[in-house]
Amino acid sequence: ASSRASAIPPARTLAPLRRPGRSAAAPIWSPRPVRTVARASGDGEGSLLDELDADARCPVPQDQRPASQFKELQGSPLLGWGGLDLPGYLARLGFLGAFFFVVLAYPIASVSYDPRTQPLEAIICATTGTCVATAAISLLIYNNWSYVRDRLLSATVEYEETGWYDGQVYVKDPEMLARDRLLGTYTVRPIVERLRKTLLACGAGVFVSLAALNSIDAPEYGVDRPAWERNGGAGFFSERSAAMYEPSAMSEEEEAEEEAAAWDRYEAAMDRYKRDNDAARAAKFAEVFVGRYSDPKHPGCAREIAAGSSGATLTVRGADGTPGCSNGEEQREWSLEGEVRGEGEILIDFSPKGGPKDLLGKWTGKGILYPDGNTWSKLE
């Protein structure tokens, strides 16, 4: 029994972690209490776990192990682009950029720049948007691959047994640590580096596109181009640029004349507005008077009101007998001018017939009533 006990090698123990420059009595404490799981246990005797391989001894759930996360990342339809060979990676990246350019960037750029008159500006602006969108997708892929790289290169694995409240830290076995670090160093790290160069290329594309767009479409703000470039762009003060935005000084007499001219222009505009408004209202009311009428003082004689040359004027035509026209009397035709003054009111110039110049007629709903009591009844 004693010979068998002496043949069992002593169990290895884990030394506390410490930073360089500290003594072994000063271990590094975790900011939150976690339980560290060693690969083997023992109190002077070997453990049966030593007879198992590294994967079987690892208590970390299969989906939380760095190697499993690496395989899952490789199989992702989008995130797996980073693990492709260089031609496949560039082909998919080019397809993604072409999609953003045609579907999103160029239609949006066409709103700011007309492709018919500014095709170069529209293309450069769309290129800027394409680089930004491509960089956003590349950043998503980069974050996932860099996370897996860090877990592969780390000597410990943080995991959760059943939920967020029971976080654990597992110290990798030498076999698992060597395998993960080989995988992270020679497989994942080049992928992360390539994604980083992609992000830098997209950023450079955005910078170059904006610089080109600024040189082509930069505003000059009313100053000559050499001076604009010599003074470092817009925003500098000069007498020439100030004169374009500041009014010139005027004397008191000139200011008074300018104010009087402005007031005259205002009054003229208001007069035109009043005339136009009155004419529009009169044209609306003139429709009521248009038609044929009968005059009781001249029975059988024609009386007709028609629209005139403008909306507010009317033409009044008729004939007079002696005084009627029903028995074949001789008739004298005449034509007068009328004007609608307001709602339901008309002024007729009877002076060609020897009557008053502006005789007021009022619409009664069935005819026109004149001041002498005579009413022209409208015929259906």
Side-chain angles (χ1 to χ4, degrees):
S2 60
S3 60
R4 285 198 304 269
S6 60
I8 298 176
R12 288 174 291 179
T13 58
L14 294 175
L17 297 175
R18 62 179 182 275
R19 292 185 182 147
R22 292 196 178 188
S23 62
I28 300 176
W29 298 105
S30 174
R32 61 188 179 95
V34 294
R35 182 165 58 89
T36 302
V37 180
R39 73 171 185 91
S41 62
D43 48 358
E45 297 182 357
S47 173
L48 293 177
L49 293 177
D50 291 336
E51 303 300 328
L52 303 177
D53 59 8
D55 288 334
R57 291 193 301 269
C58 180
V60 181
Q62 188 68 31
D63 59 338
Q64 298 184 41
R65 298 180 184 182
S68 300
Q69 292 173 335
F70 166 73
K71 294 179 181 179
E72 181 181 358
L73 203 57
Q74 279 185 318
S76 174
L78 176 61
L79 303 179
W81 288 9
L84 299 175
D85 56 352
L86 185 59
Y89 173 75
L90 294 179
R92 285 164 175 76
L93 201 64
F95 173 78
L96 184 66
F99 172 79
F100 282 132
F101 185 91
V102 174
V103 177
L104 295 177
Y106 192 76
I108 296 175
S110 299
V111 178
S112 301
Y113 299 98
D114 189 355
R116 294 172 296 180
T117 58
Q118 296 175 299
L120 184 59
E121 289 85 344
I123 293 175
I124 295 176
C125 184
T127 302
T128 305
T130 301
C131 291
V132 172
T134 305
I137 300 299
S138 300
L139 181 61
L140 174 65
I141 302 175
Y142 173 84
N143 288 335
N144 283 270
W145 281 96
S146 62
Y147 171 75
V148 172
R149 177 203 60 188
D150 295 340
R151 286 178 65 85
L152 287 171
L153 297 179
S154 176
T156 60
V157 179
E158 295 182 0
Y159 70 98
E160 297 172 354
E161 289 184 344
T162 57
W164 60 268
Y165 47 81
D166 58 352
Q168 309 293 337
V169 176
Y170 172 69
V171 180
K172 296 180 181 178
D173 291 83
E175 179 185 347
M176 178 182 291
L177 180 61
R179 182 191 60 191
D180 287 355
R181 286 188 172 178
L182 286 174
L183 190 62
T185 302
Y186 296 102
T187 302
V188 181
R189 181 175 288 176
I191 296 174
V192 174
E193 184 65 21
R194 185 169 61 186
L195 291 169
R196 188 182 67 86
K197 292 179 179 179
T198 302
L199 291 174
L200 293 176
C202 291
V206 172
F207 177 78
V208 172
S209 300
L210 290 177
L213 191 62
N214 181 69
S215 63
I216 295 175
D217 193 42
E220 298 188 6
Y221 295 92
V223 297
D224 55 298
R225 183 76 182 190
W228 184 84
E229 295 176 348
R230 184 172 58 254
N231 290 275
F236 66 92
F237 177 83
S238 67
E239 294 182 358
R240 181 180 176 185
S241 61
M244 299 188 66
Y245 301 99
E246 298 178 0
S248 59
M250 295 187 298
S251 62
E252 294 183 0
E253 293 79 5
E254 291 174 340
E255 289 182 358
E257 292 177 0
E258 180 66 23
E259 184 177 354
W263 182 254
D264 293 340
R265 291 193 297 269
Y266 170 76
E267 290 184 339
M270 294 304 296
D271 291 340
R272 288 195 303 271
Y273 171 76
K274 185 177 183 303
R275 289 195 303 268
D276 294 343
N277 187 52
D278 293 343
R281 293 177 70 249
K284 179 181 178 181
F285 300 141
E287 299 176 357
V288 177
F289 295 98
V290 176
R292 295 186 300 111
Y293 295 84
S294 63
D295 185 356
K297 290 187 176 183
H298 299 273
C301 297
R303 297 288 186 269
E304 182 180 3
I305 299 179
S309 57
S310 63
T313 59
L314 297 172
T315 300
V316 183
R317 293 187 293 266
D320 291 341
T322 54
C325 306
S326 301
N327 299 321
E329 296 90 340
E330 183 181 357
Q331 300 182 17
R332 298 181 302 278
E333 295 183 354
W334 45 265
S335 178
L336 308 175
E337 294 295 329
E339 181 180 1
V340 178
R341 190 175 72 172
E343 184 176 2
E345 294 183 349
I346 182 174
L347 295 176
I348 303 177
D349 183 10
F350 280 92
S351 58
K353 292 183 58 180
K357 180 175 178 57
D358 292 324
L359 184 64
L360 177 64
K362 295 185 177 182
W363 178 254
T364 62
K366 295 183 178 180
I368 303 174
L369 175 64
Y370 293 99
D372 60 355
N374 186 28
T375 300
W376 289 7
S377 299
K378 192 171 186 180
L379 302 177
E380 296 296 337

